[in-house]
Amino acid sequence: MKYKISQNVIKRLPRYLRYLDMLGKEGVLKVSSGELGRRMGLTASQIRQDLNCFGGFGQQGYGYNVAQLRDGVAAALGLDKRLKAVIVGIGNLGRALALNFRFEECGAELVAAFDVDPAKVGTQIGHTAVYHVSELESFIRENSVDVAVLTLPRERADEAAASAAAGGVAGIWNFTGDDLSETAPEVFVENVHLSDSMLTLGYYLRSDGGRGET
Amino acid sequence: MKYKISQNVIKRLPRYLRYLDMLGKEGVLKVSSGELGRRMGLTASQIRQDLNCFGGFGQQGYGYNVAQLRDGVAAALGLDKRLKAVIVGIGNLGRALALNFRFEECGAELVAAFDVDPAKVGTQIGHTAVYHVSELESFIRENSVDVAVLTLPRERADEAAASAAAGGVAGIWNFTGDDLSETAPEVFVENVHLSDSMLTLGYYLRSDGGRGET
């Protein structure tokens, strides 16, 4: 399915998915735009506007069918197509993601991990085999890997991104803090800046209006 | 210093800080709103509007003084006041944050870590001592801790959040995926949903327009 959706709506789709999953688990079958908005901290009209962008599953006065809307959001996110991912850098963060991150729930599958440490190469993290980084490019090419998750030190980020791009990944999930736009200009880079999140928290704690939720 | 700043500008302040730090490291002394906008993917008028919110350090035709603007953004974020933080849950993610996250650069200081595992309690992670979670509430109270970083399993999130709130933290940096709004309604909760980031990446890779940067 294809939709024309604005950047801002796209950014909110994962949140819709989370809240709809939560409602589903609570056994809620129908939800009004007002109730969904209250939970998500958005106005009812904002909700209606967002959901209209990709088909509009609501009926005035009857609310949205939770399961149907959830599937619509999942389809809009493209979760029906599974992406192959590899993790590069099996330090603490890489290990945490390999063992605990629910790739399947994000429509992805973790197929391999890479590191430079001889003590790690040849072992397994959970069910995932660890290869040497020198094999990254050929592994990506031979296995049609879509996404490289970079969890290695910043100093090695450029090199790993270049190998991943040469192998043919379409996207990089970048935890290194390094700006990869020049290394891999043809690859889509999603940067995770945990410091932004901590700085935002700090801002609210220091300012007077500081209680609430993000 | 106190400013009245909109939520959207606040959300962008950490990014301004990152880009200004980058410019500083490159030795750039002055930057125009156009050039800063090009780097950050914002329009020049957006930049001017944002920065006007907290004083406006630019001069038409001369650009912004990078160091001065950087300090202004840091002050707006309140980085001059240091926050005390503890990490609760020393699994892989907790360990990764304890060892690698630059708390100081976010105006915070990591003062202790907590876990339930007897093998971890009494040890140190880097320079940080690990205590038993049963001591969390009293430690927070006695040491005036501002922020609890929750990196423990979702099933234990509620309990830890309740202890942290009872001890008197003002904020929780929440990696558990659990919605803590009912457990700690008086505490500011900053949720980190890594799955949102991965879902966004997946969306762009699956849709046709998928190349770019976030």
Side-chain angles (χ1 to χ4, degrees):
Chain A
M1 273 198 261
K2 280 276 176 305
Y3 307 88
K4 286 258 176 199
I5 314 185
S6 84
Q7 286 256 353
N8 284 333
V9 180
I10 292 159
K11 286 270 174 203
R12 279 196 289 274
L13 285 179
R15 274 181 73 207
Y16 279 113
L17 191 67
R18 266 194 283 120
Y19 278 88
L20 290 166
D21 276 337
M22 219 182 282
L23 286 166
K25 276 180 199 155
E26 290 172 16
V28 177
L29 300 177
K30 292 256 181 195
V31 66
S32 67
S33 50
E35 168 61 13
L36 189 55
R38 197 191 56 75
R39 290 193 178 223
M40 294 182 61
L42 298 167
T43 66
S45 98
Q46 176 75 77
I47 299 268
R48 285 194 298 270
Q49 217 175 348
D50 280 1
L51 300 183
N52 275 337
C53 290
F54 53 99
F57 303 85
Q59 228 183 322
Q60 197 76 40
Y62 291 87
Y64 296 94
N65 176 308
V66 170
Q68 209 176 322
L69 184 56
R70 193 260 172 223
D71 290 346
V73 171
L77 279 165
L79 291 188
D80 37 338
K81 194 198 156 201
R82 184 65 73 92
L83 298 173
K84 286 188 190 176
V86 297
I87 292 183
V88 189
I90 300 298
N92 290 300
L93 180 59
R95 188 176 296 271
L97 289 173
L99 293 174
N100 305 126
F101 185 73
R102 298 176 186 168
F103 282 94
E104 319 72 41
E105 291 184 11
C106 297
E109 181 191 0
L110 181 63
V111 295
F114 294 85
D115 205 286
V116 289
D117 183 351
K120 291 175 186 166
V121 172
T123 66
Q124 292 216 332
I125 308 269
H127 298 289
T128 309
V130 182
Y131 301 93
H132 194 276
V133 169
S134 60
E135 299 178 64
L136 180 61
E137 182 181 335
S138 60
F139 185 96
I140 287 171
R141 186 176 298 116
E142 285 158 24
N143 294 278
S144 304
V145 172
D146 302 289
V147 177
V149 184
L150 300 192
T151 49
L152 69 181
R154 190 189 290 223
E155 311 80 70
R156 296 214 188 100
D158 266 336
E159 204 183 334
S163 298
V169 293
I172 289 177
W173 198 21
N174 179 25
F175 288 80
T176 67
D178 195 63
D179 175 19
L180 303 175
S181 57
E182 289 181 18
T183 320
E186 76 286 13
V187 169
F188 187 90
V189 179
E190 168 81 8
N191 293 304
V192 180
H193 289 291
L194 292 177
S195 55
D196 285 12
S197 170
M198 180 69 193
L199 286 166
T200 303
L201 174 62
Y203 173 83
Y204 283 106
L205 299 192
R206 291 177 182 104
S207 67
D208 285 331
R211 300 301 162 104
E213 213 188 329
T214 54
Chain B
M1 273 199 262
K2 279 276 179 303
Y3 308 88
K4 286 254 177 205
I5 314 185
S6 84
Q7 286 255 357
N8 285 332
V9 180
I10 291 159
K11 286 272 174 201
R12 278 196 288 274
L13 285 179
R15 276 181 73 208
Y16 279 112
L17 192 68
R18 266 195 283 120
Y19 279 88
L20 291 166
D21 276 338
M22 219 183 284
L23 286 167
K25 278 182 198 152
E26 291 173 17
V28 176
L29 300 177
K30 292 254 180 195
V31 66
S32 67
S33 50
E35 168 62 13
L36 189 55
R38 197 190 57 74
R39 291 194 177 222
M40 294 182 63
L42 298 167
T43 66
S45 99
Q46 177 74 78
I47 299 267
R48 285 193 298 270
Q49 219 175 345
D50 280 2
L51 300 182
N52 275 339
C53 289
F54 53 99
F57 304 85
Q59 230 184 319
Q60 196 77 40
Y62 291 88
Y64 296 95
N65 176 310
V66 170
Q68 209 177 320
L69 184 56
R70 193 260 171 222
D71 290 347
V73 171
L77 280 164
L79 291 188
D80 36 338
K81 193 197 156 204
R82 183 67 71 92
L83 299 173
K84 286 188 189 176
V86 298
I87 292 182
V88 189
I90 299 298
N92 290 300
L93 180 59
R95 188 177 294 271
L97 289 174
L99 293 174
N100 303 126
F101 185 73
R102 297 178 186 165
F103 283 93
E104 318 72 41
E105 290 183 11
C106 296
E109 181 190 2
L110 180 63
V111 295
F114 294 85
D115 204 287
V116 289
D117 183 351
K120 290 175 186 166
V121 172
T123 66
Q124 293 217 330
I125 308 267
H127 298 289
T128 310
V130 182
Y131 301 92
H132 195 275
V133 169
S134 61
E135 299 179 64
L136 181 61
E137 182 182 334
S138 60
F139 185 96
I140 286 171
R141 186 176 298 114
E142 284 158 24
N143 295 278
S144 305
V145 171
D146 303 287
V147 178
V149 183
L150 300 192
T151 49
L152 69 181
R154 190 189 290 223
E155 311 81 69
R156 297 215 186 98
D158 267 336
E159 203 183 335
S163 298
V169 292
I172 288 177
W173 198 22
N174 180 24
F175 287 81
T176 67
D178 196 64
D179 175 19
L180 302 174
S181 56
E182 288 181 20
T183 320
E186 75 286 13
V187 168
F188 186 90
V189 179
E190 168 81 7
N191 293 304
V192 179
H193 289 292
L194 291 178
S195 56
D196 286 12
S197 171
M198 181 68 192
L199 285 166
T200 303
L201 173 62
Y203 173 83
Y204 282 106
L205 298 192
R206 291 176 181 104
S207 66
D208 286 330
R211 301 301 164 99
E213 212 188 332
T214 54

